[in-house]
Amino acid sequence: MQQDTVVERELELKLVLSPERSIPVPARLTYRVDDPYAVHITFHVGSEHPVNWTFARELLVEGVFRPCGHGDVRIWPTKVDGQSVILMALSSPDGDALLEAPAAQLAAWLERALVTVEPGTESEQLGIDDGLARLLAPAAADDLWLSDPWPSDESLEGEV
């Protein structure tokens, strides 16, 4: 698997303003193999600067099936007008937002991300084990440090 693999999807979410009113918010869902534990969502909210959120992929996976999360990100499945949707409650110092995503489209993108890097194999993508092995591997110069270049500190009999 290449380290630059990216799974992206453009999706229209709804920003829920009240039980009766919501506005469409174009979003880009991104999953990157080089950041295997995270999902990234960029919201294009009509301003010059999009709003970016990053949170655990595992949180989104769980949130498709049952309510999860606390604090800044909470996710849960529900039905709105007979349609399956995923709700995401996001909180930041700048404010709170409740977003509604179509469950089938979100789940299809998430499934592609899970196939790209299977759950439980994320650390392999980071190369941590390989990096540690290289870091801890003995180098040729280590032999010099492992042999004792000085005689023993023990005094020979008769020396003063």
Side-chain angles (χ1 to χ4, degrees):
M1 180 115 357
Q2 294 180 345
Q3 287 296 320
D4 59 355
T5 301
V6 175
V7 178
E8 285 190 316
R9 168 133 198 195
E10 297 286 333
L11 194 59
E12 186 172 282
L13 305 181
K14 292 180 182 174
L15 176 61
V16 179
L17 302 174
S18 72
E20 304 82 30
R21 186 161 176 254
S22 63
I23 57 173
V25 176
R28 174 181 288 128
L29 308 173
T30 305
Y31 177 77
R32 296 192 312 262
V33 171
D34 65 354
D35 191 7
Y37 291 103
V39 292
H40 307 271
I41 303 179
T42 303
F43 301 103
H44 303 282
V45 291
S47 68
E48 188 176 316
H49 303 287
V51 175
N52 298 299
W53 276 81
T54 300
F55 51 88
R57 177 176 75 160
E58 188 176 293
L59 183 65
L60 188 56
V61 169
E62 187 176 342
V64 168
F65 298 103
R66 66 187 141 275
C68 67
H70 53 48
D72 295 346
V73 179
R74 291 171 299 149
I75 302 171
W76 66 97
T78 192
K79 288 199 181 286
V80 174
D81 297 328
Q83 301 293 313
S84 293
V85 297
I86 306 300
L87 291 176
M88 292 180 277
L90 307 176
S91 297
S92 78
D94 295 327
D96 300 330
L98 179 61
L99 294 145
E100 179 185 305
Q105 293 170 335
L106 181 66
W109 171 80
L110 190 54
E111 187 175 328
R112 285 181 39 222
L114 292 169
V115 168
T116 301
V117 176
E118 292 182 28
T121 67
E122 294 92 348
S123 66
E124 296 169 22
Q125 302 304 317
L126 297 174
I128 291 172
D129 293 338
D130 294 338
L132 278 175
R134 283 193 306 274
L135 184 64
L136 299 175
D142 288 345
D143 293 338
L144 297 173
W145 295 106
L146 296 176
S147 61
D148 187 1
W150 294 281
S152 172
D153 284 347
E154 294 176 15
S155 298
L156 298 174
E157 280 186 45
E159 282 189 22
V160 180

